[in-house]
Amino acid sequence: MTAAAPISDIYTGDLSESKTPQRRTLDSATIVKLSVDPMDNNVYVVTSRATGDQLIIDAANDGDTIAALLEQLPGTPALIFTTHQHFDHWQALKQIAETTGVPTAAGRLDAAELPVTPDRLVDDGDVITVGDLSFDAIHLVGHTPGSIALALTDGDTVHLFTGDCLFPGGVGKTWQPGDFDTLVDGVSTKIFDRYPDSTVVYPGHGKDTTLGAERGSLPEWRERGW
């Protein structure tokens, strides 16, 4: 097995200069962020501090690296969640599902494109429970038909895992006419209208951001069309 990389407890959310995984410690959970090649995908492991149960978000690639990280982390995998159907977010899914033996979950409308049939199909408004942690499921259409973002509330702060639907500087890529408007409308009403500026955004690629840092740019995104 690949040797586990050291984990930094200095959390910046920016792995562009180093592939060293970073850990953020919350009141109820820890969040470890790992970047995997070749498309700089983010893998997240959220661990309940009370029970040790873990949610793995996007077993994207480099399965041996993800497995080594899981071996290093305290806790026990309980569920693997795939944010959407695009291949760069699930290339290690089969390996990690077989290695851990835990169930998998994904949005209902994207499930057929995955290499592993999900044990749970997730719809808008569902709640995913892992240990004592509860993640609210938010269905967002436009990047794919069945993308799901997950929101974890820890004390007064919401931690939002957005897949490829929301990044620093804009929403995710769209291809068909009307998809951009659908996605930006969904992000506006289901995320920006619902959650406060303090909400931390953990995207599928690249750096973290907050809703407060992005909110003022919504009109600009609509005007430019991407």
Side-chain angles (χ1 to χ4, degrees):
M1 178 179 288
T2 301
I7 300 172
S8 172
D9 284 303
I10 300 174
Y11 191 91
T12 66
D14 181 1
L15 303 182
S16 60
E17 299 298 324
S18 170
K19 293 293 187 179
T20 299
Q22 296 181 2
R23 174 166 43 208
R24 167 175 271 170
T25 299
L26 313 177
D27 289 341
S28 63
T30 63
I31 300 171
V32 173
K33 181 176 184 176
L34 169 71
S35 175
V36 295
D37 291 325
M39 299 179 70
D40 190 29
N41 283 78
N42 294 324
V43 180
Y44 299 97
V45 182
V46 186
T47 304
S48 164
R49 296 185 65 188
T51 70
D53 292 292
Q54 295 171 332
L55 175 65
I56 303 163
I57 300 175
D58 283 349
N61 209 329
D62 296 351
D64 289 346
T65 301
I66 297 173
L69 176 67
L70 294 173
E71 284 287 331
Q72 180 184 6
L73 288 174
T76 305
L79 183 69
I80 306 167
F81 182 79
T82 304
T83 58
H84 63 289
Q85 64 175 267
H86 287 158
F87 75 97
D88 58 310
H89 290 260
W90 52 250
Q91 289 181 89
L93 175 59
K94 184 175 181 181
Q95 177 181 346
I96 299 303
E98 291 176 349
T99 298
T100 61
V102 303
T104 67
R108 183 180 300 276
L109 298 182
D110 277 6
E113 303 300 321
L114 302 182
V116 175
T117 300
D119 298 285
R120 178 175 177 181
L121 299 177
V122 180
D123 296 304
D124 190 58
D126 286 353
V127 177
I128 294 175
T129 302
V130 176
D132 66 336
L133 305 178
S134 295
F135 299 81
D136 296 318
I138 305 159
H139 179 207
L140 297 168
V141 181
H143 182 67
T144 68
S147 291
I148 299 285
L150 295 179
L152 169 69
T153 300
D154 177 82
D156 294 331
T157 305
V158 177
H159 298 266
L160 187 63
F161 301 88
T162 57
D164 283 0
C165 288
L166 179 62
F167 295 95
V171 297
K173 186 176 180 180
T174 57
W175 291 267
Q176 301 299 322
D179 281 352
F180 170 78
D181 289 336
T182 299
L183 181 56
V184 77
D185 285 347
V187 166
S188 296
T189 59
K190 292 185 173 183
I191 292 180
F192 282 96
D193 288 354
R194 178 178 180 182
Y195 297 110
D197 286 352
S198 59
T199 300
V200 184
V201 175
Y202 303 85
H205 305 262
K207 303 175 184 179
D208 300 351
T209 186
T210 65
L211 291 188
E214 308 300 328
R215 189 181 301 275
S217 299
L218 276 166
E220 176 189 341
W221 300 351
R222 287 186 181 277
E223 183 177 354
R224 76 188 185 193
W226 55 271

